[in-house]
Amino acid sequence: MSERVPRTGPRAVLPYAAAVVLLCALPLYLEAYWLRIGLFAMAAAIGAIGLNLLSGGTGQLSLGHAFFLAVGAYGYAWLAGEPGPGLPAPLALVLAVCLAGVAGGLFSPVSGRVRGVYLGVATLALVFLGHHVMLNAEAVTGGYNGRAVAPFTLLGFSFTSADPELSVLGVPFGAEERLWYLGLALLGLAWFTARNILRGRPGRALAAVRDSEVAAAVLGVPVARYRSAAFVVSSMYAGLSGALIALAFRRIVPDYFGLTLSIDYLAMIVLGGLGSVAGAVAGAAFVTALPLVLTRYADVLPLVDEPGAGGQGVGPTEAARYLYGAAIVLVLRYAPGGLVGLVRRTPAPGRRAAPAASAPADDGAPANAASPSVRPSHPKESSS
Amino acid sequence: MTTALDILLNGLALGSVYALVALGFVIIFKASGVMNFAQGSLLLLGGYLTAVLHEELGFLPALLLAVAATALVAGLVDRVLLRGMDPRHHHILTIMTIGVDILLLTELARRIGGDLLTLGDPWGNDVLTLAGVTVPTSRVASITVSVLVIGTVFAAFRHTDWGLSLRAASEDQEAAALMGVRLGRVRTLAWALAGALAALAALFLTAFPAPGLERTTGQIALKAFPAAILGGMASPPGALLGSLLIGVTEALAAGYQSELSALGRGLGDVAPYLVMIVVLLVRPHGLLGTKEAVRV
């Protein structure tokens, strides 16, 4: 993975500033339905960034992300609500994130030692064990039917449709609009932190561990500690994401936090591009919004039945699953670097393409005619 | 005493079915380093084809056709999708199998709907009485056929060119390629074999006393994951051992549920994972897995 030199100066900040202004203005124009989709996407993005720190940063595969989302969600719901201690919401949120971190830390005897697919399947166990606990610890989780989530309040300002009544520029601000800004702030924080982790000393250490554990150890990187630490940080991101999802849903049930959710998160980061924070956000938006948008426009799409039509055709939920599966296969087949890889492949404006690629194109010869002889031959390529 | 023996037999039958699926995982992993998440939907495909075909063709031809078709589909997944991808990117290939799984599973679930399909196996709900213990004939058939099939696959590992190539490829892909092993062919065959094993497992999973084939039957593959991991992902005997361990554990936890009620309902479903975590804590590479030596 090539490190890019960070650009500085006003020109580099401008696109970000524009994006932030746009995102802040959206609640003035969009309906609550779209804001809810955006809210879920933002919550998912925070979780995906966390998983990306683990999988993309250190090369560890985790299928247990749904478990840590659940810890965050139920942690917040219990700490802030009844039954539970009924703590102030911001404190409950922070404690829920810490709780997810502790859960990740408790798993460190496994996450520090077990590698590759072994870790992937070991974390699979967390999802099933977590589900079992969620169903049986009814005092905390409410059992199969789940529990309600206390609304978020900050310094007397409630993130619900009332208390206090609020309208900005003639647009009444309900729960979705208010939570949108909360989500945006938390996503910004998560993005900023993750970028700094990846670009700073820990990020380089993690990349060294990913590329070769032995070489990293020789260079003085405490491998097991960094692997566990990455797991803890990723769990904390998941906890924050889970708490935000709980706030958006207002009611959480155990069945939501199943293996499918874990797989969705894995798909997000791979679709977006492993190791890239922006990619994780893009992947999260894609995976979260696709089924919801398809359901919304089911009646205008060809071949898709309306929900509840009962025909032999393909329902919107199924259509979304087909598209989702096909997107995973096709994106990875043709762009193994994910969506971010697609963007980066196009040369930046003002930079010339590599001379070797552009020279044969001048005289009209196919550009790749010369490449087989140029390309270093590799035993794997010739055999497969 | 009879209940204990009963539970043990149940566990062995369950374990033998897990072993068929887990062996598929291990074969694909050995050949390509990929964790095949599509195994569950391949299993469902095999079961569905048998269920649809058995009324017209009769049971045995339907089963054989379903096994062959599933093997073909699995082989095609490898040929069409995974071929030509950089084989070192195991992560990416693994996630691609998730995509394949979603596609296959959605289509099959749509076709099956809420139905409960029967596969038309000849055993029905017959029972055998052996030494005072009554067991369903299908369980005995499950153990017998699994032992035969797994024995054949193990023999193929040892005594055929393909088995030798597979073992060479899993040791060192590059060296194997230089020795003339056709990695692509070895891998496609491995996929096809894993597909065939999954289709066969579908039969025994849905036979009496199980109710039949549902859209969720494929989820059984999720329990074969711990079985494969537990024994050591690159070790076929390990997969066998792991499967039996998981099967017996699950049967024990389900059988003695009332005594274990303090741990919550539905313990049988999570016990395999608990066992796996404990084993991985002690042996991070599984029971029979070898620790990878790393050269710098």
Side-chain angles (χ1 to χ4, degrees):
Chain A
M1 195 149 304
S2 63
E3 292 282 336
R4 287 182 309 162
V5 181
R7 287 177 293 168
T8 51
R11 276 188 65 191
V13 181
L14 208 60
Y16 292 104
V20 168
V21 169
L22 182 70
L23 285 172
C24 285
L26 277 178
L28 297 175
Y29 300 100
L30 290 181
E31 297 166 43
Y33 180 80
W34 295 106
L35 289 179
R36 279 182 75 78
I37 293 182
L39 199 54
F40 285 127
M42 286 192 280
I46 294 173
I49 290 174
L51 187 59
N52 213 352
L53 284 177
L54 184 71
S55 294
T58 68
Q60 301 184 61
L61 196 72
S62 169
L63 278 167
H65 221 52
F67 171 72
F68 296 107
L69 285 160
V71 171
Y74 279 101
Y76 172 78
W78 187 72
L79 288 166
E82 283 298 324
L87 297 175
L91 181 63
L93 184 65
V94 172
L95 285 180
V97 172
C98 294
L99 195 65
V102 169
L106 288 177
F107 200 59
S108 68
V110 176
S111 64
R113 306 174 59 198
V114 179
R115 290 178 174 75
V117 279
Y118 290 89
L119 184 65
V121 178
T123 50
L124 187 71
L126 283 179
V127 176
F128 289 97
L129 293 176
H131 195 253
H132 183 71
V133 170
M134 277 186 266
L135 285 180
N136 285 290
E138 286 182 13
V140 175
T141 62
Y144 180 77
N145 292 318
R147 62 175 291 160
V149 179
F152 195 73
T153 48
L154 186 63
L155 304 173
F157 181 81
S158 162
F159 287 77
T160 53
S161 50
D163 186 35
E165 295 281 350
L166 180 70
S167 67
V168 177
L169 298 174
V171 179
F173 262 36
E176 274 78 19
E177 282 84 356
R178 299 178 196 199
L179 281 172
W180 172 276
Y181 289 106
L182 179 68
L184 209 53
L186 292 177
L187 175 59
L189 183 73
W191 186 318
F192 181 74
T193 317
R195 273 180 90 98
N196 280 353
I197 290 177
L198 281 178
R199 286 190 174 169
R201 196 181 160 84
R204 289 177 194 282
L206 289 177
V209 171
R210 178 194 60 205
D211 292 340
S212 163
E213 287 196 3
V214 178
V218 168
L219 289 171
V221 176
V223 173
R225 216 174 76 201
Y226 264 100
R227 290 167 58 98
S228 312
F231 205 85
V232 169
V233 173
S234 140
S235 313
M236 292 173 78
Y237 271 90
L240 182 61
S241 167
L244 199 56
I245 286 173
L247 283 170
F249 269 128
R250 292 178 211 156
R251 177 167 198 92
I252 42 177
V253 289
D255 281 357
Y256 176 73
F257 300 97
L259 182 66
T260 325
L261 191 68
S262 279
I263 289 183
D264 281 351
Y265 275 84
L266 217 49
M268 286 174 201
I269 62 167
V270 177
L271 276 177
L274 274 176
S276 146
V277 177
V281 176
F286 180 82
V287 169
T288 318
L290 181 72
L292 298 169
V293 172
L294 269 181
T295 318
R296 172 92 174 189
Y297 290 111
D299 45 345
V300 287
L301 289 173
L303 300 174
V304 176
D305 282 354
E306 276 186 73
Q312 281 297 305
V314 181
T317 335
E318 284 153 354
R321 296 296 289 173
Y322 285 129
L323 271 181
Y324 179 39
I328 293 176
V329 172
L330 290 177
V331 167
L332 296 181
R333 185 76 181 84
Y334 296 106
L339 297 172
V340 166
L342 278 179
V343 175
R344 284 201 188 137
R345 194 183 285 172
T346 50
R351 245 179 54 193
R352 284 180 57 88
S358 60
D362 290 337
D363 50 30
N368 50 1
S371 61
S373 56
V374 175
R375 203 169 50 176
S377 68
H378 194 275
K380 275 173 199 160
E381 286 171 355
S382 54
S383 61
S384 58
Chain B
M1 191 56 216
T2 31
T3 44
L5 213 59
D6 230 23
I7 288 171
L8 196 68
L9 254 171
N10 250 340
L12 286 180
L14 204 57
S16 67
V17 179
Y18 287 152
L20 289 175
V21 185
L23 197 58
F25 281 132
V26 169
I27 293 171
I28 289 182
F29 184 78
K30 270 179 100 78
S32 56
V34 172
M35 198 79 196
N36 178 23
F37 275 90
Q39 197 83 347
S41 49
L42 288 173
L43 187 151
L44 194 59
L45 176 70
Y48 175 73
L49 289 176
T50 318
V52 172
L53 296 172
H54 82 264
E55 280 187 13
E56 274 187 39
L57 303 178
F59 170 67
L60 207 57
L63 178 68
L64 291 178
L65 199 62
V67 167
T70 311
L72 186 72
V73 169
L76 277 178
V77 167
D78 177 61
R79 273 280 135 141
V80 176
L81 295 175
L82 306 185
R83 198 181 183 194
M85 304 276 296
D86 187 337
R88 285 164 301 178
H89 289 166
H90 302 153
H91 273 78
I92 290 175
L93 296 174
T94 300
I95 309 286
M96 272 180 88
T97 65
I98 292 181
V100 172
D101 182 63
I102 291 173
L103 285 174
L104 261 177
L105 192 63
T106 311
E107 178 59 23
L108 288 168
R110 188 174 73 87
R111 285 170 179 273
I112 296 172
D115 296 348
L116 202 59
L117 306 175
T118 51
L119 268 55
D121 54 278
W123 308 293
N125 46 11
D126 298 349
V127 287
L128 280 178
T129 309
L130 296 170
V133 187
T134 311
V135 282
T137 317
S138 60
R139 295 260 144 134
V140 180
S142 158
I143 297 179
T144 321
V145 174
S146 299
V147 166
L148 283 177
V149 168
I150 291 169
T152 314
V153 172
F154 276 22
F157 279 148
R158 273 208 92 72
H159 301 296
T160 64
D161 285 349
W162 173 78
L164 185 63
S165 304
L166 180 75
R167 283 183 288 143
S170 80
E171 286 286 319
D172 186 336
Q173 297 230 342
E174 212 155 304
L178 288 172
M179 293 297 138
V181 171
R182 302 176 70 167
L183 292 180
R185 185 178 290 184
V186 169
R187 218 175 54 190
T188 308
L189 274 175
W191 271 82
L193 182 57
L197 289 173
L200 195 59
L203 168 67
F204 297 118
L205 267 178
T206 51
F208 180 79
L213 187 80
E214 302 169 77
R215 58 200 295 177
T216 51
T217 301
Q219 286 174 1
I220 195 77
L222 292 173
K223 280 188 200 146
F225 266 131
I229 287 287
L230 187 59
M233 197 60 204
S235 152
L240 196 57
L241 182 65
S243 303
L244 293 180
L245 200 58
I246 293 283
V248 171
T249 309
E250 196 181 332
L252 281 176
Y256 291 103
Q257 198 163 30
S258 48
E259 281 86 342
L260 297 167
S261 60
L263 294 171
R265 274 170 289 133
L267 191 67
D269 287 333
V270 292
Y273 298 98
L274 272 176
V275 172
M276 175 182 69
I277 295 259
V278 172
V279 169
L280 284 182
L281 270 176
V282 184
R283 291 186 62 91
H285 291 272
L287 288 173
L288 301 186
T290 43
K291 195 166 161 38
E292 291 158 44
V294 183
R295 238 175 297 151
V296 186

